[in-house]
Amino acid sequence: MERTLVLLKPDAVQRGLSGQVIARIEARGLKIVGMKMLRMDRDLCGKHYAIHEGKPFFQGLVQFITSSPIVAIVFEGLNAVEVVRSTMGATDPAKAQPGTIRGDLGLDIGRNLVHGSDSRENAEKEISIFCSDEELFSYERSLDPWITETKEN
Ligand code: DAT
Ligand code: MG
């Protein structure tokens, strides 16, 4: 089953929106297979956001994401990467559709509440940055057949 990394950024935790954000993703049917709170440092930021290094917003992004604890969650399920991305909405909350996390709860691109991996390949990389194998759980839920017809993807 496909897995993806979600980060509840410092603004989500500080604003008391962690539960709401998790609930929206869980309600789609995706399963939590790993979760922890941590404070990102510059080093972890460099690894996770390597692709954005040198961009004009990078400094502000590092400043923000390291400013307060975050929650890292690994979700698993059918098309987990794409489903999380569409549930989050566009990067800029001003452009995100109502009904999405960013479109309902955010205003500013620099305070957009949540991260979600953008491809299966990046999801695998990002999950390994944040979680060890021992921190990830494989388990069945009795309701899974009511959420997905197939076990494969
Ligand atoms: P996403 O988080 O939707 O995958 P991204 O990977 O392009 O977006 O950028 C990572 C984060 O960097 C994004 O969540 C917020 C910040 N960011 C991106 N573009 C920005 C911009 N133009 N101004 C300020 N922050 C920006
Ligand atoms: Mg991204």
Side-chain angles (χ1 to χ4, degrees):
M1 267 291 175
E2 188 165 307
R3 289 179 168 180
T4 191
L5 180 78
V6 169
L7 301 178
L8 308 181
K9 295 182 180 180
D11 50 341
V13 176
Q14 288 282 346
R15 290 175 58 195
L17 297 173
S18 305
Q20 276 196 55
V21 173
I22 293 169
R24 283 168 179 246
I25 301 170
E26 267 194 309
R28 295 239 20 203
L30 295 179
K31 175 165 66 180
I32 296 173
V33 295
M35 177 154 74
K36 66 173 163 190
M37 188 171 226
L38 69 144
R39 179 100 178 231
M40 282 179 78
D41 59 16
R42 177 69 182 75
D43 196 44
L44 188 55
C45 238
K47 282 186 196 150
H48 177 65
Y49 282 127
I51 195 168
H52 297 304
E53 256 190 285
K55 293 185 185 170
F57 60 83
F58 186 71
Q59 195 93 328
L61 177 61
V62 173
Q63 169 73 32
F64 163 58
I65 210 95
T66 61
S67 65
S68 185
I70 64 157
V71 179
I73 310 167
V74 179
F75 280 99
E76 182 184 274
L78 193 65
N79 300 316
V81 169
E82 190 189 336
V83 164
V84 165
R85 294 289 296 185
S86 63
T87 305
M88 289 190 327
T91 305
D92 184 351
K95 300 193 177 89
Q97 292 294 315
T100 63
I101 292 166
R102 288 162 168 172
D104 286 349
L105 305 174
L107 283 176
D108 183 344
I109 194 167
R111 300 286 185 271
N112 66 1
L113 298 152
V114 68
H115 166 84
S117 310
D118 63 7
S119 68
R120 210 168 167 145
E121 191 191 348
N122 284 338
E124 279 173 23
K125 280 190 206 149
E126 292 174 3
I127 289 168
S128 70
I129 292 172
F130 283 87
C131 296
S132 64
D133 287 348
E134 299 74 50
E135 290 170 325
L136 298 171
F137 296 83
S138 288
Y139 62 98
E140 299 287 318
R141 297 181 303 188
S142 58
L143 53 61
D144 284 339
W146 297 103
I147 295 171
T148 50
E149 187 175 13
T150 171
K151 282 186 159 197
E152 281 118 60
N153 87 318

